[in-house]
Amino acid sequence: MTVSAENWARPSDWAAKRFGRQAGRIAAAVPVQLARAHAQAHATHLTAGLKKRSPYGSTLAEAAREKLADTARELSESVRDVRGYEYAVINDHALFPFRYANRPRPLDRARLPSNASPTRRRLFRAHGPQSPEGLFDLDDDLTTEEYLGLHEAFAELGASTKLVCVFFTADVVNGIHAIYWGDAHLEPDRTFTWPHSEQLPVATHPLV
């Protein structure tokens, strides 16, 4: 999408604190760019012609990151590479898109897959919000070097950069069902605690 004065939504106070003067444009761009990512993934699915192991999910994940990065470039904001993946960074807040289900499902049911990469876990641990007091505390003897490593910030992303999680559900037939964004803390059991979350509208984009 081309970011202009027309591509603007009234941001919440939470969004304004994170994205500053770009908050309205980011709030408007996220639904449109996810719809575009779905259209691209849908086209890839049709081209592959596979009934099983469709490339839809992997294409959607990559397209969502790339299209949000495109928005950052159009706004003259930062795009940073973390282990080969580009992330849009606006006002020291990185947009992290994540499809948490392939069917409509409440946000509180979101869960990180058991096979999620160490990089993804580390992004949440090091750049997400602090754990709410009293939730899933670990005893000292359970704190391993590997666990502590998950809390080490990515220098390429910026030690002070925080994640803004963009969680959504989608499938190849129906497209994007729902979009939420906010601050998500990853718990040891791979569920999420949300100090703050908001639902964004769903946009549509013509399929190729």
Side-chain angles (χ1 to χ4, degrees), residues 18-110:
R18 278 145 186 79
F19 301 117
R21 62 185 179 85
Q22 304 288 21
R25 290 183 173 86
I26 296 299
V30 167
V32 174
Q33 294 293 45
L34 290 184
R36 284 185 155 195
H38 163 70
Q40 183 175 339
H42 181 269
T44 301
H45 166 79
L46 293 181
T47 300
L50 301 174
K51 293 182 179 180
K52 295 184 178 180
R53 300 189 180 278
S54 166
Y56 173 78
S58 58
T59 303
L60 178 61
E62 185 62 28
R65 280 190 297 266
E66 289 184 354
K67 294 190 181 303
L68 292 177
D70 289 344
T71 293
R73 291 188 180 96
E74 291 182 18
L75 293 171
S76 299
E77 298 288 345
S78 298
V79 174
R80 297 177 189 164
D81 187 289
V82 177
R83 306 291 172 88
Y85 297 109
E86 289 187 335
Y87 291 94
V89 179
I90 299 95
N91 197 34
D92 283 334
H93 286 82
L95 290 172
F96 185 92
F98 173 56
R99 183 179 71 142
Y100 68 90
N102 60 7
R103 60 185 183 276
R105 200 170 191 179
L107 182 62
D108 61 10
R109 300 287 300 280

Side-chain angles (χ1 to χ4, degrees), residues 6-23:
E6 289 74 28
N7 301 128
W8 191 90
R10 184 175 297 280
S12 66
D13 291 342
W14 171 87
K17 287 178 181 178
R18 278 145 186 79
F19 301 117
R21 62 185 179 85
Q22 304 288 21

